[in-house]
Amino acid sequence: MERRKSKKIKLGNTFIGGDSPILVQSMLNIPASNIDGSVEQAKELAAAGCQVIRFAIPNEDALNLIEPIKKAVDVPLVADIHFDYKLALGAAERGIDKIRINPGNIGDRDRVKQVVEMAKEREIPIRIGVNGGSLERELLQKYGGVTADALVESAMGHVAILDELNFNNVVVSIKISDVPKMLCAYRKFNEISDIPLHIGVTESGTLKGGTVKSAVGIGALLAEGIGDTMRVSLTANPVEEIYAAYDIQKVLGMRK
């Protein structure tokens, strides 16, 4: 199968997009306040073959996770930040490798500019993560609900904000639990942009049901050459996400 010609960007000690391997990602599910537990889970994920580890930064105290995890594993780390731009700045200062934040959600242009300037200075990619469960109200009204077109327009709106600030070190994800809509959205985005894509099905479910759902959604995109990083999202030990991701790649002949 021929891979989509996406842009290649640097992530920590590896690369996303272009001719780079499709990286397998997972997310810590230990409370951010439990630093020791988070470090141990990160080590388990790295030992299982996880190539990118993401974790939530819900408050300033959670920034204390970054340095211990960086010391424990040689895997790029992604800080998941929702609305507080100061947490994005703090994560960058602590040495995070990538930030997941939507620029349209963090306030005025000056706040976005501060995050962008920090990311430029430290060569940190930003992942724009569009989610069907948190789509902008005006897009829900325009399209009559969550549709593939609404998801793509949301993603491109966030991309445009960064483009205006001359920042293009970007990855995009478009997550929704409805597999047909998820497939349609990624295909539409793929037609109009070469930005690297992180693919997955959000809220996919339990170990068995979620693996099946992800195998259908992620597998279909990979078979079409779409996807640069991937996560099988399960309500289970995140190590199981790594095993499932590699099994999907093996079925498609991408791994032995």
Side-chain angles (χ1 to χ4, degrees), residues 115-164:
V115 174
V116 165
E117 287 178 351
M118 179 75 80
K120 279 183 181 178
E121 178 187 328
R122 297 174 182 250
E123 298 183 339
I124 298 172
I126 292 175
R127 168 149 79 91
I128 293 169
V130 174
N131 194 305
S134 57
L135 207 57
E136 294 94 324
R137 187 177 302 168
E138 58 269 24
L139 291 177
L140 291 173
Q141 292 173 346
K142 177 179 178 179
Y143 290 97
V146 178
T147 67
D149 287 324
L151 291 163
V152 172
E153 185 169 330
S154 177
M156 292 307 296
H158 290 295
V159 169
I161 294 170
L162 297 181
D163 277 345
E164 289 173 6

Short mmCIF file of all heavy atoms in Angstrom, two decimals, residues 115-164:
data_model
loop_
_atom_site.label_atom_id
_atom_site.label_comp_id
_atom_site.label_asym_id
_atom_site.label_seq_id
_atom_site.Cartn_x
_atom_site.Cartn_y
_atom_site.Cartn_z
N VAL A 115 2.43 30.80 23.11
CA VAL A 115 2.64 29.34 22.99
C VAL A 115 3.43 29.04 21.72
O VAL A 115 4.37 28.24 21.72
CB VAL A 115 1.29 28.59 22.99
CG1 VAL A 115 1.51 27.10 22.71
CG2 VAL A 115 0.59 28.78 24.32
N VAL A 116 3.05 29.68 20.61
CA VAL A 116 3.73 29.46 19.33
C VAL A 116 5.20 29.86 19.40
O VAL A 116 6.08 29.13 18.92
CB VAL A 116 3.00 30.22 18.20
CG1 VAL A 116 3.87 30.31 16.96
CG2 VAL A 116 1.68 29.53 17.86
N GLU A 117 5.48 31.01 19.99
CA GLU A 117 6.87 31.46 20.09
C GLU A 117 7.72 30.50 20.92
O GLU A 117 8.87 30.21 20.58
CB GLU A 117 6.92 32.88 20.66
CG GLU A 117 6.45 33.93 19.67
CD GLU A 117 6.44 35.34 20.24
OE1 GLU A 117 6.64 35.48 21.47
OE2 GLU A 117 6.23 36.29 19.47
N MET A 118 7.14 29.99 22.00
CA MET A 118 7.85 29.01 22.82
C MET A 118 8.08 27.72 22.04
O MET A 118 9.16 27.13 22.08
CB MET A 118 7.05 28.72 24.10
CG MET A 118 7.70 27.68 25.01
SD MET A 118 9.13 28.29 25.92
CE MET A 118 8.30 29.17 27.26
N ALA A 119 7.05 27.28 21.30
CA ALA A 119 7.17 26.05 20.52
C ALA A 119 8.20 26.21 19.40
O ALA A 119 8.97 25.29 19.12
CB ALA A 119 5.81 25.68 19.93
N LYS A 120 8.24 27.38 18.77
CA LYS A 120 9.25 27.64 17.74
C LYS A 120 10.65 27.60 18.33
O LYS A 120 11.56 26.96 17.78
CB LYS A 120 9.02 29.03 17.11
CG LYS A 120 7.95 29.09 16.05
CD LYS A 120 7.90 30.51 15.48
CE LYS A 120 6.82 30.66 14.42
NZ LYS A 120 6.74 32.04 13.92
N GLU A 121 10.83 28.27 19.45
CA GLU A 121 12.14 28.37 20.08
C GLU A 121 12.69 27.00 20.46
O GLU A 121 13.87 26.72 20.27
CB GLU A 121 12.03 29.25 21.33
CG GLU A 121 13.31 29.40 22.13
CD GLU A 121 13.07 30.13 23.44
OE1 GLU A 121 12.18 30.99 23.50
OE2 GLU A 121 13.77 29.81 24.41
N ARG A 122 11.80 26.12 20.91
CA ARG A 122 12.23 24.81 21.40
C ARG A 122 11.96 23.68 20.40
O ARG A 122 12.15 22.51 20.73
CB ARG A 122 11.57 24.52 22.74
CG ARG A 122 12.02 25.53 23.80
CD ARG A 122 11.28 25.36 25.11
NE ARG A 122 11.72 26.38 26.06
CZ ARG A 122 12.48 26.14 27.15
NH1 ARG A 122 12.89 24.91 27.39
NH2 ARG A 122 12.82 27.11 27.96
N GLU A 123 11.48 24.04 19.22
CA GLU A 123 11.19 23.06 18.15
C GLU A 123 10.23 21.98 18.64
O GLU A 123 10.47 20.77 18.48
CB GLU A 123 12.48 22.45 17.61
CG GLU A 123 13.40 23.48 16.96
CD GLU A 123 14.64 22.86 16.36
OE1 GLU A 123 15.01 21.74 16.75
OE2 GLU A 123 15.25 23.50 15.48
N ILE A 124 9.14 22.44 19.23
CA ILE A 124 8.13 21.53 19.77
C ILE A 124 6.91 21.52 18.83
O ILE A 124 6.31 22.57 18.59
CB ILE A 124 7.68 21.98 21.17
CG1 ILE A 124 8.85 21.96 22.14
CG2 ILE A 124 6.55 21.10 21.69
CD1 ILE A 124 8.53 22.58 23.49
N PRO A 125 6.52 20.36 18.30
CA PRO A 125 5.30 20.31 17.48
C PRO A 125 4.06 20.54 18.33
O PRO A 125 4.05 20.25 19.54
CB PRO A 125 5.31 18.89 16.90
CG PRO A 125 6.66 18.33 17.19
CD PRO A 125 7.19 19.05 18.38
N ILE A 126 3.02 21.02 17.70
CA ILE A 126 1.71 21.16 18.34
C ILE A 126 0.73 20.24 17.65
O ILE A 126 0.63 20.23 16.42
CB ILE A 126 1.21 22.62 18.25
CG1 ILE A 126 2.09 23.54 19.10
CG2 ILE A 126 -0.26 22.72 18.68
CD1 ILE A 126 1.73 25.01 18.99
N ARG A 127 0.04 19.41 18.44
CA ARG A 127 -1.03 18.59 17.86
C ARG A 127 -2.36 19.26 18.10
O ARG A 127 -2.73 19.55 19.23
CB ARG A 127 -1.07 17.18 18.46
CG ARG A 127 -2.36 16.44 18.04
CD ARG A 127 -2.22 14.98 17.92
NE ARG A 127 -2.25 14.24 19.14
CZ ARG A 127 -3.35 13.71 19.71
NH1 ARG A 127 -4.53 13.92 19.17
NH2 ARG A 127 -3.26 13.00 20.80
N ILE A 128 -3.06 19.50 17.02
CA ILE A 128 -4.44 19.99 17.08
C ILE A 128 -5.34 18.76 17.18
O ILE A 128 -5.35 17.92 16.27
CB ILE A 128 -4.77 20.82 15.83
CG1 ILE A 128 -3.95 22.11 15.83
CG2 ILE A 128 -6.26 21.11 15.74
CD1 ILE A 128 -4.00 22.87 14.53
N GLY A 129 -6.07 18.66 18.27
CA GLY A 129 -6.91 17.48 18.49
C GLY A 129 -8.38 17.82 18.44
O GLY A 129 -8.96 18.28 19.42
N VAL A 130 -9.00 17.61 17.29
CA VAL A 130 -10.44 17.86 17.15
C VAL A 130 -11.19 16.62 17.63
O VAL A 130 -10.83 15.49 17.30
CB VAL A 130 -10.79 18.17 15.68
CG1 VAL A 130 -12.30 18.28 15.50
CG2 VAL A 130 -10.10 19.45 15.24
N ASN A 131 -12.24 16.86 18.42
CA ASN A 131 -13.01 15.75 18.99
C ASN A 131 -14.50 15.99 18.77
O ASN A 131 -14.99 17.11 19.02
CB ASN A 131 -12.70 15.63 20.49
CG ASN A 131 -13.18 14.33 21.09
OD1 ASN A 131 -14.35 13.99 20.99
ND2 ASN A 131 -12.28 13.60 21.72
N GLY A 132 -15.19 14.96 18.33
CA GLY A 132 -16.62 15.10 18.07
C GLY A 132 -17.42 15.51 19.28
O GLY A 132 -18.48 16.14 19.16
N GLY A 133 -16.92 15.21 20.47
CA GLY A 133 -17.64 15.54 21.69
C GLY A 133 -17.47 16.97 22.15
O GLY A 133 -18.15 17.42 23.09
N SER A 134 -16.54 17.71 21.52
CA SER A 134 -16.30 19.09 21.95
C SER A 134 -16.20 20.04 20.76
O SER A 134 -15.41 20.97 20.76
CB SER A 134 -15.01 19.16 22.78
OG SER A 134 -13.91 18.65 22.06
N LEU A 135 -17.02 19.76 19.75
CA LEU A 135 -17.01 20.59 18.54
C LEU A 135 -17.61 21.97 18.83
O LEU A 135 -18.52 22.11 19.66
CB LEU A 135 -17.82 19.88 17.45
CG LEU A 135 -17.47 20.17 16.00
CD1 LEU A 135 -16.02 19.84 15.70
CD2 LEU A 135 -18.39 19.36 15.08
N GLU A 136 -17.12 22.99 18.14
CA GLU A 136 -17.59 24.35 18.35
C GLU A 136 -19.10 24.47 18.07
O GLU A 136 -19.62 23.88 17.13
CB GLU A 136 -16.84 25.33 17.44
CG GLU A 136 -15.36 25.45 17.75
CD GLU A 136 -14.49 24.52 16.93
OE1 GLU A 136 -14.94 23.38 16.64
OE2 GLU A 136 -13.37 24.90 16.55
N ARG A 137 -19.77 25.26 18.92
CA ARG A 137 -21.23 25.38 18.82
C ARG A 137 -21.67 25.88 17.45
O ARG A 137 -22.66 25.41 16.88
CB ARG A 137 -21.72 26.34 19.92
CG ARG A 137 -23.24 26.40 20.04
CD ARG A 137 -23.66 27.32 21.18
NE ARG A 137 -23.09 26.87 22.44
CZ ARG A 137 -23.11 27.61 23.55
NH1 ARG A 137 -23.64 28.82 23.54
NH2 ARG A 137 -22.61 27.12 24.67
N GLU A 138 -20.92 26.86 16.92
CA GLU A 138 -21.33 27.42 15.63
C GLU A 138 -21.25 26.39 14.50
O GLU A 138 -22.05 26.41 13.56
CB GLU A 138 -20.50 28.65 15.27
CG GLU A 138 -19.00 28.43 15.19
CD GLU A 138 -18.28 28.67 16.51
OE1 GLU A 138 -18.92 28.57 17.57
OE2 GLU A 138 -17.07 28.97 16.46
N LEU A 139 -20.30 25.45 14.60
CA LEU A 139 -20.20 24.40 13.59
C LEU A 139 -21.31 23.37 13.75
O LEU A 139 -21.83 22.84 12.76
CB LEU A 139 -18.83 23.73 13.66
CG LEU A 139 -17.64 24.60 13.23
CD1 LEU A 139 -16.33 23.84 13.41
CD2 LEU A 139 -17.79 25.04 11.77
N LEU A 140 -21.67 23.08 14.99
CA LEU A 140 -22.79 22.16 15.23
C LEU A 140 -24.08 22.75 14.64
O LEU A 140 -24.88 22.02 14.05
CB LEU A 140 -22.97 21.93 16.74
CG LEU A 140 -21.87 21.13 17.43
CD1 LEU A 140 -22.09 21.12 18.93
CD2 LEU A 140 -21.82 19.69 16.91
N GLN A 141 -24.24 24.06 14.79
CA GLN A 141 -25.44 24.71 14.22
C GLN A 141 -25.38 24.75 12.69
O GLN A 141 -26.37 24.49 12.01
CB GLN A 141 -25.56 26.13 14.78
CG GLN A 141 -25.88 26.18 16.27
CD GLN A 141 -25.84 27.58 16.85
OE1 GLN A 141 -25.32 28.50 16.23
NE2 GLN A 141 -26.38 27.74 18.05
N LYS A 142 -24.21 25.05 12.16
CA LYS A 142 -24.04 25.16 10.70
C LYS A 142 -24.33 23.83 10.00
O LYS A 142 -24.98 23.80 8.95
CB LYS A 142 -22.62 25.62 10.39
CG LYS A 142 -22.30 25.70 8.90
CD LYS A 142 -20.87 26.19 8.67
CE LYS A 142 -20.54 26.23 7.18
NZ LYS A 142 -19.16 26.72 6.93
N TYR A 143 -23.83 22.73 10.59
CA TYR A 143 -23.95 21.42 9.94
C TYR A 143 -25.06 20.55 10.53
O TYR A 143 -25.26 19.42 10.08
CB TYR A 143 -22.62 20.68 10.01
CG TYR A 143 -21.54 21.30 9.14
CD1 TYR A 143 -20.60 22.17 9.68
CD2 TYR A 143 -21.49 21.03 7.78
CE1 TYR A 143 -19.61 22.76 8.89
CE2 TYR A 143 -20.51 21.61 6.98
CZ TYR A 143 -19.58 22.47 7.54
OH TYR A 143 -18.61 23.04 6.74
N GLY A 144 -25.77 21.07 11.54
CA GLY A 144 -26.86 20.30 12.12
C GLY A 144 -26.39 19.14 12.97
O GLY A 144 -27.10 18.13 13.11
N GLY A 145 -25.22 19.26 13.55
CA GLY A 145 -24.68 18.19 14.40
C GLY A 145 -23.24 17.88 14.04
O GLY A 145 -22.59 18.62 13.28
N VAL A 146 -22.76 16.79 14.59
CA VAL A 146 -21.37 16.38 14.34
C VAL A 146 -21.32 15.63 13.01
O VAL A 146 -21.86 14.53 12.88
CB VAL A 146 -20.85 15.47 15.48
CG1 VAL A 146 -19.41 15.02 15.17
CG2 VAL A 146 -20.89 16.20 16.81
N THR A 147 -20.68 16.24 12.03
CA THR A 147 -20.51 15.60 10.73
C THR A 147 -19.03 15.62 10.35
O THR A 147 -18.23 16.34 10.97
CB THR A 147 -21.30 16.36 9.63
OG1 THR A 147 -20.70 17.66 9.46
CG2 THR A 147 -22.76 16.51 10.00
N ALA A 148 -18.68 14.87 9.32
CA ALA A 148 -17.29 14.84 8.86
C ALA A 148 -16.85 16.24 8.41
O ALA A 148 -15.74 16.69 8.71
CB ALA A 148 -17.14 13.84 7.72
N ASP A 149 -17.74 16.94 7.70
CA ASP A 149 -17.41 18.29 7.23
C ASP A 149 -17.19 19.26 8.39
O ASP A 149 -16.30 20.11 8.34
CB ASP A 149 -18.51 18.82 6.31
CG ASP A 149 -18.50 18.15 4.95
OD1 ASP A 149 -17.41 17.85 4.44
OD2 ASP A 149 -19.60 17.92 4.39
N ALA A 150 -17.99 19.11 9.44
CA ALA A 150 -17.84 19.97 10.61
C ALA A 150 -16.50 19.71 11.30
O ALA A 150 -15.80 20.65 11.72
CB ALA A 150 -18.99 19.73 11.59
N LEU A 151 -16.12 18.45 11.41
CA LEU A 151 -14.85 18.09 12.04
C LEU A 151 -13.66 18.64 11.25
O LEU A 151 -12.72 19.18 11.82
CB LEU A 151 -14.74 16.56 12.17
CG LEU A 151 -15.70 15.90 13.16
CD1 LEU A 151 -15.80 14.40 12.88
CD2 LEU A 151 -15.25 16.15 14.59
N VAL A 152 -13.73 18.49 9.94
CA VAL A 152 -12.64 18.99 9.09
C VAL A 152 -12.56 20.51 9.15
O VAL A 152 -11.46 21.08 9.24
CB VAL A 152 -12.82 18.50 7.63
CG1 VAL A 152 -11.81 19.17 6.71
CG2 VAL A 152 -12.68 16.98 7.56
N GLU A 153 -13.71 21.18 9.11
CA GLU A 153 -13.69 22.65 9.18
C GLU A 153 -13.11 23.12 10.51
O GLU A 153 -12.37 24.11 10.57
CB GLU A 153 -15.10 23.21 8.98
CG GLU A 153 -15.10 24.74 8.93
CD GLU A 153 -16.42 25.33 8.47
OE1 GLU A 153 -17.14 24.68 7.68
OE2 GLU A 153 -16.72 26.46 8.91
N SER A 154 -13.44 22.41 11.59
CA SER A 154 -12.88 22.75 12.90
C SER A 154 -11.37 22.62 12.89
O SER A 154 -10.65 23.52 13.33
CB SER A 154 -13.48 21.84 13.98
OG SER A 154 -12.89 22.11 15.24
N ALA A 155 -10.88 21.50 12.37
CA ALA A 155 -9.43 21.27 12.30
C ALA A 155 -8.74 22.36 11.49
O ALA A 155 -7.73 22.93 11.91
CB ALA A 155 -9.14 19.90 11.71
N MET A 156 -9.29 22.67 10.33
CA MET A 156 -8.66 23.66 9.46
C MET A 156 -8.73 25.07 10.06
O MET A 156 -7.86 25.90 9.82
CB MET A 156 -9.31 23.65 8.08
CG MET A 156 -9.05 22.37 7.29
SD MET A 156 -7.29 21.94 7.15
CE MET A 156 -6.64 23.34 6.21
N GLY A 157 -9.76 25.32 10.87
CA GLY A 157 -9.85 26.61 11.56
C GLY A 157 -8.72 26.79 12.56
O GLY A 157 -8.11 27.86 12.64
N HIS A 158 -8.42 25.73 13.30
CA HIS A 158 -7.30 25.79 14.25
C HIS A 158 -5.97 25.88 13.51
O HIS A 158 -5.06 26.62 13.93
CB HIS A 158 -7.31 24.55 15.15
CG HIS A 158 -8.45 24.51 16.12
ND1 HIS A 158 -8.59 25.42 17.13
CD2 HIS A 158 -9.50 23.66 16.23
CE1 HIS A 158 -9.68 25.13 17.84
NE2 HIS A 158 -10.26 24.07 17.29
N VAL A 159 -5.85 25.16 12.41
CA VAL A 159 -4.62 25.22 11.60
C VAL A 159 -4.40 26.64 11.09
O VAL A 159 -3.27 27.15 11.09
CB VAL A 159 -4.70 24.23 10.41
CG1 VAL A 159 -3.57 24.49 9.42
CG2 VAL A 159 -4.63 22.79 10.91
N ALA A 160 -5.48 27.30 10.68
CA ALA A 160 -5.38 28.65 10.12
C ALA A 160 -4.83 29.64 11.15
O ALA A 160 -4.06 30.54 10.81
CB ALA A 160 -6.74 29.11 9.62
N ILE A 161 -5.21 29.45 12.41
CA ILE A 161 -4.71 30.33 13.47
C ILE A 161 -3.19 30.23 13.57
O ILE A 161 -2.48 31.24 13.69
CB ILE A 161 -5.36 29.98 14.83
CG1 ILE A 161 -6.86 30.29 14.78
CG2 ILE A 161 -4.70 30.73 15.97
CD1 ILE A 161 -7.63 29.75 15.98
N LEU A 162 -2.68 29.00 13.50
CA LEU A 162 -1.23 28.80 13.57
C LEU A 162 -0.54 29.27 12.29
O LEU A 162 0.57 29.80 12.33
CB LEU A 162 -0.92 27.33 13.84
CG LEU A 162 -1.43 26.78 15.18
CD1 LEU A 162 -1.05 25.32 15.34
CD2 LEU A 162 -0.90 27.60 16.35
N ASP A 163 -1.20 29.08 11.15
CA ASP A 163 -0.64 29.57 9.88
C ASP A 163 -0.43 31.07 9.91
O ASP A 163 0.59 31.58 9.42
CB ASP A 163 -1.59 29.22 8.72
CG ASP A 163 -1.39 27.79 8.21
OD1 ASP A 163 -0.36 27.18 8.55
OD2 ASP A 163 -2.27 27.31 7.49
N GLU A 164 -1.38 31.78 10.49
CA GLU A 164 -1.27 33.24 10.57
C GLU A 164 -0.05 33.68 11.39
O GLU A 164 0.48 34.76 11.19
CB GLU A 164 -2.55 33.82 11.20
CG GLU A 164 -3.76 33.76 10.30
CD GLU A 164 -5.03 34.17 11.02
OE1 GLU A 164 -4.94 34.62 12.19
OE2 GLU A 164 -6.12 34.05 10.43
#
